[in-house]
Amino acid sequence: PADAHLDTINLPMLSASVALSAGSAAITAPVAAPGRGAVRAAAPALMDKSGLEGFAKELNPVVGYWDPLNLSNGEFWGDSNSATIGFLRESEIKHGRVAMAGFVGYIVHANDIRFPWDKVAMAAPKGLSPQELWDVTPEAAKWQIILTIAFLEFWRENSYILSKEGEQHYMRGGKPGYFPTFSELPHPVPFNLFDPFGFSKNASPEKKAKGLLAEVNNGRLAMIGLMGFLSEAKVPGSVPALANVGIRPYAGEVMAPFDANFHLF
């Protein structure tokens, strides 16, 4: 029952995660509610440095524009500066989305919450850290996850698919963070990955721009929070805010998807 699952949640861990996010707010918050004109300004593709500077002030008026590595002036792989900025914008949005999912997933797995209809998950022993849970996942299941992610990457990067929806690649003036629908698949798919229930379909440009501000800021906090969980598990005591909330230690290698000696060939 749902109530039983709720009873198993590690409340100190949840409280600490909130505290960690609050403590990280020095980097991304406070975020002032932008005025109507400011929200309109967030709508462009932000493919030049001036666009980045304006967007940074809307994201965090306190920190503002901060680029210590001078990445925004780069021309990666011999491409243009606008293409480089498009790549950086897409990377931040994508990493933030993955981190938000990972942050929630870490808490779910750390509290041994499982979907009862998932035979693979139910077969795994309880009391493991999320990292150890991945280690005991069958290799076939790992490949399913990795290949699904590979397909989503292919679909996002495909210029032909984007052109069918009137969009362009993010390094060619397209919208960073845009994920195409599955309408071009030969087999019908009931839901799209982005906005599967159509809640944002008729949203105004102002509302979408404001949502982008929230998504980027939440993604930044999630990246900090997830790395905090991983660091504390690997080196106990390395994250003081998480030292006493029950983060299970992990002695393995988080960067090895199969094992440290894995080879494709």
Side-chain angles (χ1 to χ4, degrees), residues 28-234:
T28 60
V31 179
R36 188 176 182 85
V39 172
R40 287 182 183 274
L46 306 172
M47 302 303 281
D48 57 34
K49 187 174 181 179
S50 62
L52 286 181
E53 291 173 349
F55 189 58
K57 292 179 181 178
E58 293 182 42
L59 284 167
N60 191 323
V62 176
V63 176
Y65 182 72
W66 191 63
D67 182 17
L69 298 180
N70 200 31
L71 296 177
S72 61
N73 289 321
E75 295 182 349
F76 293 179
W77 308 291
D79 214 322
S80 67
N81 178 249
S82 62
T84 298
I85 290 176
F87 170 80
L88 294 172
R89 292 284 298 112
E90 170 75 12
S91 297
E92 179 178 38
I93 294 172
K94 183 183 295 182
H95 282 82
R97 289 171 176 172
V98 172
M100 285 188 279
F103 184 84
V104 175
Y106 195 104
I107 294 175
V108 169
H109 290 305
N111 287 280
D112 293 320
I113 300 173
R114 312 283 174 83
F115 292 122
W117 57 84
D118 188 335
K119 295 181 179 179
V120 174
M122 295 302 291
K126 293 188 176 182
L128 301 178
S129 68
Q131 301 92 315
E132 290 174 304
L133 190 60
W134 170 263
D135 290 341
V136 301
T137 298
E139 186 170 313
K142 292 180 179 179
W143 276 114
Q144 289 178 21
I145 295 171
I146 292 173
L147 291 176
T148 298
I149 295 172
F151 165 75
L152 295 177
E153 284 288 294
F154 160 78
W155 199 252
R156 168 66 182 107
E157 299 288 329
N158 194 304
S159 296
Y160 171 79
I161 300 300
L162 291 169
S163 67
K164 284 294 184 178
E165 300 189 2
E167 297 290 340
Q168 293 179 296
H169 192 272
Y170 52 82
M171 292 183 70
R172 296 294 177 264
K175 290 186 291 188
Y178 177 82
F179 195 91
T181 67
F182 294 131
S183 59
E184 292 299 315
L185 284 175
H187 188 281
V189 177
F191 300 107
N192 292 312
L193 181 64
F194 176 76
D195 194 23
F197 303 108
F199 293 147
S200 301
K201 183 177 181 181
N202 298 317
S204 66
E206 291 85 358
K207 184 176 181 180
K208 290 180 179 179
K210 188 175 181 180
L212 177 60
L213 296 177
E215 179 181 38
V216 173
N217 275 324
N218 290 335
R220 290 175 177 178
L221 286 174
M223 286 187 275
I224 295 171
L226 183 57
M227 289 305 299
F229 283 157
L230 297 176
S231 299
E232 178 62 27
K234 186 69 174 179

Side-chain angles (χ1 to χ4, degrees), residues 6-21:
L6 290 174
D7 288 340
T8 65
I9 295 177
N10 188 326
L11 293 180
M13 181 182 292
L14 290 173
S15 300
S17 67
V18 173
L20 181 63
S21 297

